[in-house]
Amino acid sequence: MTDQVPQTGPDEGDWLRLDRQICFSLHAATRAFNGVYRVVLKELGLTYPQYLVMLVLWEHGETPVKRLGEHLRLDSGTLSPLLKRLEAAGLVRRERSARDERSVEVRLTGEGAALRERAKRVPGRIVSSTGFSLEEIGALRARLDQLTAALDTAALEEARA
């Protein structure tokens, strides 16, 4: 890992400007996405984090809570309240695994499965909000996946040091 800061500005301190921070650009983009999702998902009765849970369940079916957390990069303390609200809304059910009582399985209810049909319009509405082409979105997503992998590796290396 390197501690080098590119020297493109007249002063090293320029790199401490908010508008030079990639993390802030990602944060601002995330907040902007959340604003669009808030409006689009309102008609489904879901928050953005709940939508993410539903996406995993629509894709993978019945899933242990631990695996759901891995897919979403969420810990159980964050995931449990989400699942509780989705269960109260009648969209999912949580049950202890018959194979391993320590594990809790999450499955869609009929209502949760049916919601998938209405949710099919969400990605198109989000894409149109970006002003990007599908190719541009795919390229951006690929770069962000690379960034995430690099940062995960860097965090592991920092933790070992």
Side-chain angles (χ1 to χ4, degrees), residues 47-61 63-76 78-83 86 92 106 148 152:
T47 63
Y48 178 69
Q50 291 169 341
Y51 175 67
L52 295 179
V53 169
M54 297 302 288
L55 287 174
V56 172
L57 295 173
W58 289 326
E59 181 179 349
H60 297 284
T63 305
V65 171
K66 182 178 180 177
R67 176 84 31 86
L68 195 56
E70 290 167 359
H71 282 295
L72 298 173
R73 299 174 70 105
L74 294 174
D75 60 45
S76 62
T78 303
L79 194 52
S80 290
L82 280 173
L83 294 173
L86 286 169
V92 304
V106 182
T148 301
D152 284 345

